[in-house]
Amino acid sequence: MIDQQIIHATQTWLKSFIIAFNICPFAKREQQRNSIRYRVARPNGLENTLETLSDECDYLDTHPETETTLLIFADMFADFDDYLDMLALAEQLLIAQGYEGIYQLASFHPDYHFETETEDSDDPANYTNRSPYPMLHLIREESLDRALANYPDPENIPVRNIKLTRELGLEKLQALLVACYAEH
């Protein structure tokens, strides 16, 4: 797949799920402002993945008009456990490079599932963090803090999303995710 197709699938997911169902109440504004950067990363190995993340932090440092980045790994980290290992190293990298409190990571993966007592991968609530491709969402903490301060009851966002995804049901959520690929 070419990068533009991967970006298009990601944008479709963002619009048709994240924004349409208000999963992230802050995404619509940034999408309308065109301040979301989509970067398809094709690193060859874990070390290059971390270098790519570091480069993206540097990019955000020098481009204040870009609010956030979706770093998309179309060719790597298909295995969810491998993805989680990379995520842990990525979070350590942000701390080591002095980015703690400046940027934070949100994680998305096609097979995302929350750790629960049952670890039910079929729980529709997992779809709050399922995406067409493995990706890291690099967020400016200062902007997130501002958005949360102006949002009524931000602690309820995850609770609302879990309730919503369970009401939508597994079949509809699976279809929404599959539809992201169908447009190209």
Side-chain angles (χ1 to χ4, degrees), residues 56-173:
E56 202 56 36
C57 289
D58 291 342
Y59 179 89
L60 289 174
D61 285 346
T62 58
H63 292 84
E65 71 281 3
T66 302
E67 188 59 41
T68 189
T69 295
L70 290 172
L71 191 55
I72 309 161
F73 300 99
D75 301 326
M76 292 186 67
F77 309 112
D79 179 83
F80 185 58
D81 289 329
D82 291 344
Y83 172 82
L84 290 177
D85 291 343
M86 179 274 296
L87 175 62
L89 293 172
E91 289 172 339
Q92 290 174 7
L93 176 74
L94 290 183
I95 293 167
Q97 291 195 331
Y99 285 117
E100 186 175 27
I102 298 171
Y103 301 119
Q104 70 173 254
L105 298 173
S107 55
F108 297 94
H109 191 279
D111 297 323
Y112 198 97
H113 65 272
F114 293 101
E115 286 189 33
T116 62
E117 290 177 18
T118 61
E119 292 194 30
D120 181 7
S121 64
D122 288 334
D123 184 344
N126 293 315
Y127 279 78
T128 62
N129 288 66
R130 288 204 179 165
S131 57
Y133 302 97
M135 66 179 83
L136 295 175
H137 181 192
L138 194 55
I139 305 166
R140 293 181 188 272
E141 280 205 30
E142 182 179 317
S143 298
L144 181 59
D145 290 344
R146 247 189 340 266
L148 290 171
N150 294 310
Y151 188 83
D153 198 21
E155 302 81 24
N156 240 352
I157 295 170
V159 173
R160 178 210 164 271
N161 287 344
I162 289 168
K163 182 178 186 269
L164 173 68
T165 53
R166 288 178 176 159
E167 286 171 0
L168 290 170
L170 189 59
E171 191 173 306
K172 179 169 179 87
L173 293 167

Side-chain angles (χ1 to χ4, degrees), residues 14-65:
L14 183 72
K15 291 175 195 170
S16 66
F17 180 62
I18 300 297
I19 293 172
F21 292 98
N22 205 29
I23 299 298
C24 174
F26 317 114
K28 182 177 182 179
R29 177 178 182 264
E30 300 313 323
Q31 187 262 339
Q32 290 174 336
R33 290 178 59 222
N34 199 29
S35 63
I36 301 170
R37 176 172 155 93
Y38 300 87
R39 180 171 177 198
V40 177
R42 297 188 186 273
N44 58 358
L46 191 53
E47 185 174 324
N48 288 73
T49 299
L50 297 175
E51 285 176 23
T52 301
L53 175 60
S54 181
D55 291 346
E56 202 56 36
C57 289
D58 291 342
Y59 179 89
L60 289 174
D61 285 346
T62 58
H63 292 84
E65 71 281 3

